[in-house]
Amino acid sequence: MIPLSERAVESGSTSEVFAFLAEELQGELTARLENVKALAVGAEASVRAARAHVEALLNFEVFTHTMFLAMHAGPHGDGTSGHHAPGH
């Protein structure tokens, strides 16, 4: 990640960093949501299956929220980026 960030600073363009992060984020979101959907099938079959589904659902929700917070964190993770964080 650091080399991509350094190239962005040198070039004045975020395109390469954006493309990399977008691809990584899409992959993570897709995998986590697919897990939620797969575990939803049969979630009512047992307490164990229901727990697995709820755990996957919470994992997806917490992951998305954590990514949102990270995008709006200040340089030291203090939440003071200066950008408006819409409805979280």
Side-chain angles (χ1 to χ4, degrees):
M1 224 26 263
I2 299 299
L4 284 176
S5 298
E6 290 172 345
R7 285 197 298 273
V9 171
E10 291 168 5
S11 71
S13 173
T14 60
S15 295
E16 193 177 358
V17 172
F18 177 80
F20 177 79
L21 289 174
E23 185 176 328
E24 289 291 312
L25 182 58
Q26 182 65 50
E28 281 297 317
L29 289 170
T30 299
R32 290 167 191 261
L33 185 57
E34 288 301 318
N35 190 40
V36 171
K37 290 168 28 179
L39 292 171
V41 176
E44 296 177 9
S46 69
V47 172
R48 176 179 277 173
R51 285 182 181 155
H53 177 248
V54 169
E55 183 177 334
L57 178 62
L58 290 174
N59 177 282
F60 179 77
E61 291 174 349
V62 169
F63 177 77
T64 60
H65 185 69
T66 301
M67 292 298 97
F68 177 81
L69 293 177
M71 288 189 299
H72 294 282
H76 303 288
D78 61 4
T80 59
S81 71
H83 292 95
H84 174 67
H88 66 281

Coordinates of all heavy atoms in Angstrom, one line a residue:
M1 N 0.8 -1.2 0.0 CA 0.0 0.0 0.0 C 0.9 1.3 0.0 O 0.5 2.2 -0.7 CB -0.9 -0.1 1.3 CG -2.3 0.3 1.2 SD -3.2 0.1 -0.3 CE -3.2 1.7 -1.0
I2 N 1.9 1.2 0.8 CA 2.8 2.4 0.9 C 3.4 2.8 -0.5 O 3.3 4.0 -0.9 CB 3.9 2.2 1.9 CG1 3.3 2.0 3.3 CG2 4.9 3.4 1.9 CD1 2.4 3.1 3.8
P3 N 3.9 1.9 -1.3 CA 4.4 2.2 -2.6 C 3.3 2.9 -3.5 O 3.6 3.8 -4.2 CB 4.9 0.9 -3.2 CG 5.2 0.1 -2.0 CD 4.2 0.4 -1.0
L4 N 2.1 2.4 -3.4 CA 1.0 3.0 -4.2 C 0.7 4.4 -3.7 O 0.5 5.3 -4.5 CB -0.3 2.2 -4.1 CG -0.4 0.9 -4.9 CD1 -1.7 0.1 -4.5 CD2 -0.3 1.1 -6.4
S5 N 0.7 4.6 -2.4 CA 0.5 5.9 -1.9 C 1.6 6.9 -2.3 O 1.4 8.0 -2.6 CB 0.4 5.9 -0.3 OG -0.7 5.1 0.0
E6 N 2.9 6.4 -2.2 CA 4.0 7.2 -2.6 C 3.9 7.6 -4.1 O 4.2 8.8 -4.5 CB 5.3 6.5 -2.4 CG 5.6 6.4 -0.9 CD 6.8 5.5 -0.6 OE1 7.3 4.7 -1.4 OE2 7.3 5.6 0.6
R7 N 3.5 6.7 -5.0 CA 3.3 7.0 -6.4 C 2.2 8.0 -6.6 O 2.3 8.9 -7.5 CB 3.1 5.8 -7.2 CG 4.3 4.9 -7.4 CD 4.2 3.9 -8.6 NE 3.1 2.9 -8.4 CZ 3.3 1.7 -7.8 NH1 4.5 1.4 -7.2 NH2 2.3 0.9 -7.7
A8 N 1.2 7.9 -5.8 CA 0.1 8.9 -5.9 C 0.6 10.3 -5.5 O 0.2 11.3 -6.2 CB -1.1 8.5 -5.0
V9 N 1.4 10.4 -4.5 CA 1.9 11.7 -4.1 C 2.8 12.2 -5.2 O 2.8 13.4 -5.6 CB 2.7 11.6 -2.8 CG1 3.5 12.9 -2.5 CG2 1.8 11.3 -1.6
E10 N 3.7 11.4 -5.8 CA 4.6 11.8 -6.8 C 3.8 12.2 -8.1 O 4.2 13.2 -8.7 CB 5.6 10.7 -7.2 CG 6.6 10.4 -6.1 CD 7.3 9.1 -6.3 OE1 7.2 8.4 -7.4 OE2 8.1 8.7 -5.4
S11 N 2.8 11.5 -8.5 CA 2.1 11.7 -9.7 C 1.0 12.8 -9.5 O 0.5 13.4 -10.5 CB 1.5 10.5 -10.3 OG 0.4 10.0 -9.4
G12 N 0.5 13.0 -8.3 CA -0.6 13.9 -8.1 C -1.9 13.3 -8.4 O -2.9 14.0 -8.5
S13 N -2.0 11.9 -8.6 CA -3.2 11.3 -9.0 C -3.5 10.1 -8.0 O -2.6 9.3 -7.7 CB -3.1 10.7 -10.4 OG -4.2 9.9 -10.7
T14 N -4.8 10.0 -7.6 CA -5.2 8.9 -6.7 C -5.7 7.7 -7.5 O -6.1 6.7 -6.9 CB -6.3 9.4 -5.8 OG1 -7.4 9.8 -6.6 CG2 -5.8 10.5 -4.9
S15 N -5.7 7.8 -8.8 CA -6.3 6.7 -9.7 C -5.8 5.3 -9.3 O -6.6 4.4 -9.2 CB -6.0 7.0 -11.1 OG -6.7 8.2 -11.5
E16 N -4.5 5.1 -9.2 CA -4.0 3.8 -8.9 C -4.3 3.3 -7.6 O -4.7 2.1 -7.4 CB -2.4 3.8 -9.1 CG -1.8 2.4 -9.2 CD -0.3 2.5 -9.4 OE1 0.3 3.6 -9.6 OE2 0.3 1.4 -9.4
V17 N -4.3 4.2 -6.6 CA -4.6 3.8 -5.2 C -6.1 3.5 -5.1 O -6.5 2.5 -4.6 CB -4.3 4.9 -4.2 CG1 -4.9 4.7 -2.8 CG2 -2.8 5.2 -4.1
F18 N -6.9 4.3 -5.8 CA -8.4 4.1 -5.8 C -8.7 2.8 -6.4 O -9.5 2.0 -5.9 CB -9.1 5.3 -6.5 CG -10.6 5.0 -6.6 CD1 -11.4 5.3 -5.6 CD2 -11.1 4.5 -7.8 CE1 -12.8 5.1 -5.6 CE2 -12.5 4.3 -7.9 CZ -13.3 4.6 -6.8
A19 N -8.1 2.5 -7.6 CA -8.4 1.2 -8.3 C -8.1 0.0 -7.4 O -8.9 -0.9 -7.3 CB -7.7 1.2 -9.6
F20 N -6.9 0.1 -6.8 CA -6.5 -1.0 -5.9 C -7.5 -1.2 -4.7 O -8.0 -2.3 -4.5 CB -5.1 -0.8 -5.4 CG -4.6 -1.9 -4.5 CD1 -4.2 -3.1 -4.9 CD2 -4.7 -1.7 -3.1 CE1 -3.8 -4.1 -4.1 CE2 -4.3 -2.7 -2.2 CZ -3.8 -3.9 -2.7
L21 N -7.8 -0.1 -4.0 CA -8.6 -0.2 -2.9 C -10.1 -0.6 -3.2 O -10.7 -1.4 -2.5 CB -8.6 1.1 -2.1 CG -7.4 1.5 -1.4 CD1 -7.4 2.9 -0.8 CD2 -7.0 0.5 -0.3
A22 N -10.5 -0.1 -4.4 CA -11.9 -0.4 -4.8 C -12.0 -1.9 -5.1 O -13.0 -2.6 -4.7 CB -12.3 0.4 -6.0
E23 N -11.0 -2.5 -5.7 CA -11.0 -3.9 -6.1 C -10.9 -4.7 -4.8 O -11.7 -5.7 -4.6 CB -9.8 -4.2 -7.0 CG -9.8 -5.7 -7.5 CD -8.7 -6.0 -8.5 OE1 -8.3 -5.1 -9.2 OE2 -8.3 -7.1 -8.4
E24 N -10.1 -4.3 -3.9 CA -10.0 -5.1 -2.6 C -11.3 -5.0 -1.8 O -11.7 -6.0 -1.3 CB -8.8 -4.5 -1.8 CG -7.4 -4.8 -2.3 CD -7.1 -6.3 -2.2 OE1 -7.3 -6.9 -1.1 OE2 -6.6 -6.8 -3.2
L25 N -11.8 -3.8 -1.7 CA -13.1 -3.6 -1.0 C -14.2 -4.4 -1.6 O -15.0 -5.1 -0.9 CB -13.5 -2.2 -0.9 CG -14.7 -1.8 -0.1 CD1 -14.6 -2.4 1.4 CD2 -15.0 -0.3 -0.1
Q26 N -14.3 -4.4 -2.9 CA -15.4 -5.1 -3.6 C -15.2 -6.6 -3.3 O -16.2 -7.3 -3.1 CB -15.3 -4.9 -5.1 CG -16.4 -5.6 -5.9 CD -17.8 -5.1 -5.5 OE1 -18.0 -3.8 -5.6 NE2 -18.7 -5.9 -5.2
G27 N -14.0 -7.1 -3.4 CA -13.8 -8.5 -3.1 C -14.2 -8.9 -1.7 O -14.9 -9.9 -1.5
E28 N -13.8 -8.1 -0.7 CA -14.2 -8.4 0.7 C -15.7 -8.3 0.9 O -16.3 -9.1 1.5 CB -13.5 -7.4 1.6 CG -12.1 -7.8 1.9 CD -11.9 -9.1 2.6 OE1 -12.7 -9.4 3.5 OE2 -11.0 -9.8 2.2
L29 N -16.3 -7.2 0.4 CA -17.8 -7.1 0.5 C -18.5 -8.3 -0.1 O -19.5 -8.8 0.5 CB -18.3 -5.8 -0.1 CG -17.9 -4.5 0.7 CD1 -18.2 -3.3 -0.2 CD2 -18.5 -4.4 2.0
T30 N -18.1 -8.6 -1.3 CA -18.8 -9.7 -2.0 C -18.6 -11.0 -1.3 O -19.6 -11.8 -1.1 CB -18.2 -9.9 -3.4 OG1 -18.4 -8.6 -4.1 CG2 -18.8 -11.0 -4.2
A31 N -17.4 -11.3 -0.8 CA -17.2 -12.6 -0.1 C -18.0 -12.6 1.2 O -18.6 -13.7 1.5 CB -15.7 -12.8 0.2
R32 N -18.0 -11.6 1.9 CA -18.7 -11.5 3.2 C -20.2 -11.6 3.0 O -20.9 -12.3 3.8 CB -18.3 -10.3 4.0 CG -16.9 -10.3 4.5 CD -16.4 -9.0 5.0 NE -15.0 -8.9 5.3 CZ -14.5 -9.1 6.5 NH1 -15.2 -9.3 7.5 NH2 -13.2 -9.1 6.6
L33 N -20.7 -10.9 2.0 CA -22.2 -11.0 1.7 C -22.6 -12.4 1.2 O -23.6 -12.9 1.6 CB -22.6 -9.9 0.7 CG -24.1 -9.8 0.5 CD1 -24.9 -9.6 1.8 CD2 -24.4 -8.7 -0.5
E34 N -21.8 -13.0 0.4 CA -22.0 -14.3 -0.1 C -22.1 -15.3 1.1 O -22.9 -16.2 1.1 CB -21.0 -14.8 -1.1 CG -21.1 -14.1 -2.5 CD -22.5 -14.3 -3.1 OE1 -23.0 -15.4 -3.1 OE2 -23.0 -13.3 -3.7
N35 N -21.2 -15.1 2.0 CA -21.2 -16.0 3.2 C -22.5 -15.8 4.0 O -23.2 -16.8 4.4 CB -20.0 -15.6 4.1 CG -19.9 -16.7 5.2 OD1 -20.0 -17.9 5.1 ND2 -19.5 -16.2 6.4
V36 N -23.0 -14.5 4.2 CA -24.3 -14.3 4.8 C -25.4 -15.0 4.1 O -26.2 -15.7 4.7 CB -24.6 -12.8 4.9 CG1 -26.0 -12.5 5.4 CG2 -23.6 -12.1 5.8
K37 N -25.4 -14.8 2.8 CA -26.5 -15.4 2.0 C -26.5 -17.0 2.0 O -27.5 -17.6 2.1 CB -26.4 -15.0 0.5 CG -26.8 -13.5 0.4 CD -26.5 -12.8 -0.9 CE -26.4 -13.6 -2.2 NZ -26.1 -12.8 -3.4
A38 N -25.3 -17.5 2.0 CA -25.1 -19.0 2.0 C -25.6 -19.5 3.4 O -26.3 -20.6 3.4 CB -23.7 -19.4 1.8
L39 N -25.3 -18.8 4.4 CA -25.7 -19.3 5.8 C -27.1 -19.0 6.1 O -27.7 -19.6 7.0 CB -24.8 -18.7 6.8 CG -23.3 -19.2 6.8 CD1 -22.4 -18.4 7.7 CD2 -23.2 -20.7 7.1
A40 N -27.7 -18.1 5.3 CA -29.2 -17.8 5.5 C -30.0 -19.0 5.1 O -31.1 -19.3 5.7 CB -29.6 -16.6 4.7
V41 N -29.5 -19.8 4.1 CA -30.2 -21.0 3.7 C -30.0 -22.0 4.7 O -28.9 -22.4 5.0 CB -29.6 -21.5 2.3 CG1 -30.3 -22.8 1.9 CG2 -29.8 -20.4 1.2
G42 N -31.0 -22.4 5.4 CA -30.9 -23.4 6.4 C -30.7 -22.9 7.8 O -30.4 -23.6 8.7
A43 N -30.7 -21.6 7.9 CA -30.4 -21.0 9.2 C -31.4 -21.4 10.3 O -31.1 -21.4 11.5 CB -30.4 -19.4 9.1
E44 N -32.6 -21.8 9.8 CA -33.7 -22.2 10.8 C -33.6 -23.7 11.1 O -34.3 -24.1 12.0 CB -35.0 -21.9 10.2 CG -35.2 -20.4 10.0 CD -36.6 -20.1 9.3 OE1 -37.4 -21.0 9.2 OE2 -36.8 -18.9 8.9
A45 N -32.6 -24.3 10.6 CA -32.5 -25.8 10.8 C -32.0 -26.1 12.2 O -32.4 -27.2 12.7 CB -31.5 -26.4 9.8
S46 N -31.2 -25.3 12.8 CA -30.7 -25.6 14.2 C -30.2 -24.3 14.8 O -30.0 -23.3 14.1 CB -29.6 -26.6 14.1 OG -28.4 -26.0 13.5
V47 N -30.0 -24.3 16.1 CA -29.5 -23.2 16.8 C -28.1 -22.9 16.3 O -27.7 -21.7 16.1 CB -29.5 -23.4 18.3 CG1 -28.7 -22.3 19.0 CG2 -30.9 -23.6 18.8
R48 N -27.3 -23.9 16.0 CA -25.9 -23.7 15.5 C -25.9 -23.0 14.1 O -25.2 -22.1 13.9 CB -25.2 -25.1 15.4 CG -23.8 -25.0 14.7 CD -23.1 -26.3 14.6 NE -22.6 -26.5 15.9 CZ -22.0 -27.7 16.3 NH1 -21.9 -28.7 15.4 NH2 -21.4 -27.8 17.5
A49 N -26.8 -23.4 13.3 CA -27.0 -22.8 12.0 C -27.4 -21.4 12.1 O -26.9 -20.5 11.4 CB -27.9 -23.6 11.1
A50 N -28.4 -21.1 13.0 CA -28.8 -19.7 13.2 C -27.7 -18.9 13.7 O -27.6 -17.7 13.3 CB -30.0 -19.7 14.1
R51 N -27.0 -19.4 14.6 CA -25.8 -18.6 15.2 C -24.8 -18.3 14.1 O -24.2 -17.2 14.1 CB -25.2 -19.4 16.4 CG -26.0 -19.3 17.6 CD -25.3 -20.1 18.7 NE -26.1 -20.0 19.9 CZ -26.0 -20.9 20.9 NH1 -25.2 -21.9 20.8 NH2 -26.8 -20.8 22.0
A52 N -24.5 -19.2 13.3 CA -23.5 -19.0 12.2 C -24.0 -17.9 11.3 O -23.2 -17.1 10.9 CB -23.3 -20.3 11.5
H53 N -25.3 -17.9 11.0 CA -25.8 -16.9 10.1 C -25.8 -15.5 10.7 O -25.3 -14.6 10.1 CB -27.3 -17.3 9.7 CG -27.9 -16.2 8.9 ND1 -29.0 -15.4 9.4 CD2 -27.7 -15.8 7.6 CE1 -29.3 -14.6 8.4 NE2 -28.5 -14.8 7.4
V54 N -26.2 -15.4 12.0 CA -26.1 -14.2 12.7 C -24.7 -13.7 12.8 O -24.4 -12.5 12.6 CB -26.8 -14.3 14.1 CG1 -26.5 -13.0 14.9 CG2 -28.3 -14.5 13.9
E55 N -23.8 -14.6 13.1 CA -22.4 -14.2 13.2 C -21.9 -13.6 11.9 O -21.2 -12.6 11.8 CB -21.5 -15.4 13.6 CG -20.0 -15.0 13.8 CD -19.2 -16.2 14.3 OE1 -19.8 -17.1 14.9 OE2 -18.0 -16.2 14.0
A56 N -22.2 -14.3 10.8 CA -21.8 -13.8 9.4 C -22.4 -12.4 9.1 O -21.8 -11.5 8.6 CB -22.2 -14.8 8.4
L57 N -23.7 -12.3 9.5 CA -24.4 -11.0 9.3 C -23.8 -9.9 10.1 O -23.5 -8.8 9.5 CB -25.9 -11.2 9.7 CG -26.8 -9.9 9.6 CD1 -26.9 -9.5 8.2 CD2 -28.1 -10.2 10.1
L58 N -23.5 -10.1 11.3 CA -22.8 -9.1 12.2 C -21.4 -8.8 11.6 O -21.0 -7.7 11.6 CB -22.8 -9.6 13.6 CG -24.1 -9.6 14.3 CD1 -24.0 -10.2 15.7 CD2 -24.7 -8.2 14.4
N59 N -20.7 -9.8 11.2 CA -19.4 -9.7 10.6 C -19.5 -8.7 9.4 O -18.6 -7.8 9.3 CB -18.8 -11.0 10.2 CG -17.4 -10.9 9.6 OD1 -17.3 -10.5 8.4 ND2 -16.4 -11.2 10.3
F60 N -20.4 -8.9 8.6 CA -20.6 -8.0 7.4 C -20.9 -6.6 7.8 O -20.3 -5.7 7.3 CB -21.7 -8.6 6.5 CG -22.0 -7.7 5.3 CD1 -21.1 -7.8 4.2 CD2 -23.1 -6.9 5.2 CE1 -21.4 -7.0 3.1 CE2 -23.3 -6.1 4.1 CZ -22.4 -6.2 3.0
E61 N -21.8 -6.5 8.8 CA -22.2 -5.1 9.2 C -21.1 -4.4 9.9 O -20.9 -3.2 9.7 CB -23.5 -5.2 10.1 CG -24.7 -5.7 9.4 CD -25.9 -5.9 10.3 OE1 -25.7 -6.0 11.5 OE2 -27.0 -6.1 9.7
V62 N -20.4 -5.1 10.8 CA -19.3 -4.5 11.5 C -18.2 -4.1 10.5 O -17.6 -3.0 10.6 CB -18.8 -5.4 12.6 CG1 -17.5 -4.9 13.2 CG2 -19.8 -5.5 13.7
F63 N -17.9 -5.0 9.5 CA -16.9 -4.7 8.5 C -17.2 -3.4 7.8 O -16.4 -2.5 7.6 CB -16.7 -5.9 7.6 CG -15.7 -5.6 6.5 CD1 -14.4 -5.7 6.7 CD2 -16.1 -5.3 5.2 CE1 -13.4 -5.4 5.7 CE2 -15.2 -5.0 4.2 CZ -13.9 -5.1 4.5
T64 N -18.5 -3.3 7.3 CA -18.8 -2.1 6.5 C -18.7 -0.9 7.4 O -18.3 0.2 6.9 CB -20.2 -2.3 5.9 OG1 -21.2 -2.4 6.9 CG2 -20.3 -3.4 4.9
H65 N -19.2 -1.0 8.6 CA -19.1 0.2 9.5 C -17.6 0.6 9.8 O -17.3 1.8 9.8 CB -19.9 -0.1 10.8 CG -19.9 1.1 11.7 ND1 -20.7 2.2 11.4 CD2 -19.3 1.3 12.9 CE1 -20.5 3.1 12.4 NE2 -19.7 2.6 13.3
T66 N -16.8 -0.4 10.0 CA -15.4 -0.1 10.3 C -14.7 0.5 9.1 O -13.9 1.4 9.2 CB -14.7 -1.5 10.6 OG1 -15.3 -2.0 11.8 CG2 -13.2 -1.2 10.9
M67 N -15.1 0.1 7.9 CA -14.5 0.7 6.7 C -15.0 2.1 6.5 O -14.2 3.0 6.2 CB -14.9 -0.1 5.4 CG -14.3 -1.5 5.3 SD -12.5 -1.4 5.2 CE -12.0 -1.8 6.9
F68 N -16.2 2.4 6.8 CA -16.8 3.7 6.8 C -16.0 4.6 7.8 O -15.6 5.7 7.4 CB -18.3 3.7 7.1 CG -18.9 5.1 7.2 CD1 -19.2 5.7 6.0 CD2 -19.1 5.7 8.4 CE1 -19.8 7.0 6.0 CE2 -19.6 7.0 8.4 CZ -20.0 7.6 7.2
L69 N -15.8 4.2 9.0 CA -15.1 4.9 10.0 C -13.7 5.2 9.6 O -13.2 6.3 9.8 CB -15.2 4.2 11.4 CG -16.6 4.2 12.0 CD1 -16.5 3.4 13.3 CD2 -17.1 5.5 12.3
A70 N -13.0 4.2 9.0 CA -11.6 4.3 8.6 C -11.5 5.4 7.5 O -10.6 6.2 7.5 CB -11.1 3.0 8.1
M71 N -12.5 5.4 6.6 CA -12.4 6.4 5.5 C -12.6 7.9 6.1 O -12.1 8.8 5.4 CB -13.5 6.2 4.5 CG -13.3 5.0 3.7 SD -14.4 4.8 2.3 CE -16.0 4.6 3.1
H72 N -13.2 8.0 7.2 CA -13.5 9.4 7.8 C -12.6 9.7 9.0 O -12.8 10.7 9.6 CB -14.9 9.5 8.1 CG -15.8 9.5 6.8 ND1 -15.9 10.6 6.0 CD2 -16.5 8.5 6.3 CE1 -16.6 10.2 5.0 NE2 -17.0 9.0 5.1
A73 N -11.6 8.8 9.3 CA -10.8 9.0 10.4 C -9.7 10.1 10.1 O -9.3 10.2 8.9 CB -10.1 7.7 10.8
G74 N -9.2 10.7 11.1 CA -8.1 11.6 10.9 C -6.8 10.9 10.7 O -6.8 9.7 10.6
P75 N -5.7 11.6 10.6 CA -4.4 11.0 10.3 C -4.0 10.0 11.3 O -3.2 9.1 11.1 CB -3.5 12.1 10.1 CG -4.1 13.3 10.8 CD -5.6 13.0 10.7
H76 N -4.5 10.1 12.5 CA -4.1 9.2 13.6 C -5.3 8.4 14.1 O -5.3 8.0 15.2 CB -3.4 10.0 14.7 CG -2.2 10.7 14.3 ND1 -1.1 10.1 13.9 CD2 -2.0 12.1 14.0 CE1 -0.2 11.0 13.5 NE2 -0.8 12.2 13.6
G77 N -6.3 8.3 13.3 CA -7.5 7.5 13.6 C -8.4 8.2 14.6 O -9.2 7.6 15.3
D78 N -8.3 9.5 14.7 CA -9.1 10.3 15.7 C -10.4 10.8 15.2 O -11.1 11.5 16.0 CB -8.3 11.4 16.3 CG -7.9 12.4 15.2 OD1 -8.3 12.3 14.1 OD2 -7.1 13.4 15.6
G79 N -10.9 10.5 14.0 CA -12.2 10.9 13.5 C -12.3 12.3 13.2 O -13.4 12.9 13.1
T80 N -11.1 13.0 12.9 CA -11.2 14.4 12.6 C -10.6 14.7 11.2 O -9.7 15.5 11.0 CB -10.3 15.2 13.6 OG1 -9.0 14.7 13.6 CG2 -10.9 15.1 15.0
S81 N -11.2 14.0 10.2 CA -10.7 14.2 8.8 C -11.0 15.5 8.2 O -10.4 15.9 7.2 CB -11.2 13.0 7.9 OG -12.5 13.2 7.7
G82 N -12.1 16.1 8.7 CA -12.5 17.4 8.2 C -13.6 17.2 7.1 O -14.2 18.1 6.6
H83 N -13.8 15.9 6.7 CA -14.9 15.6 5.7 C -16.1 15.3 6.5 O -16.1 14.7 7.5 CB -14.4 14.4 4.9 CG -13.3 14.7 4.0 ND1 -12.0 14.4 4.4 CD2 -13.2 15.3 2.8 CE1 -11.2 14.8 3.4 NE2 -11.9 15.3 2.4
H84 N -17.2 15.6 5.9 CA -18.5 15.3 6.4 C -18.8 13.8 6.2 O -18.7 13.3 5.1 CB -19.6 16.1 5.8 CG -21.0 15.8 6.2 ND1 -21.4 16.0 7.5 CD2 -22.0 15.2 5.6 CE1 -22.7 15.5 7.6 NE2 -23.1 15.1 6.5
A85 N -19.2 13.1 7.3 CA -19.5 11.7 7.3 C -21.0 11.6 7.2 O -21.7 11.8 8.2 CB -18.9 11.0 8.5
P86 N -21.6 11.2 6.0 CA -23.0 11.1 6.0 C -23.6 10.0 6.8 O -23.0 9.0 6.9 CB -23.3 10.9 4.5 CG -22.0 10.4 3.9 CD -20.9 10.9 4.8
G87 N -24.7 10.2 7.4 CA -25.5 9.3 8.2 C -25.0 8.0 8.5 O -25.3 7.0 7.9
H88 N -24.2 7.9 9.6 CA -23.7 6.6 10.0 C -24.3 6.2 11.4 O -24.8 6.8 12.1 CB -22.2 6.4 10.0 CG -21.5 7.3 11.0 ND1 -21.3 8.6 10.7 CD2 -20.9 7.1 12.2 CE1 -20.6 9.2 11.7 NE2 -20.4 8.3 12.6

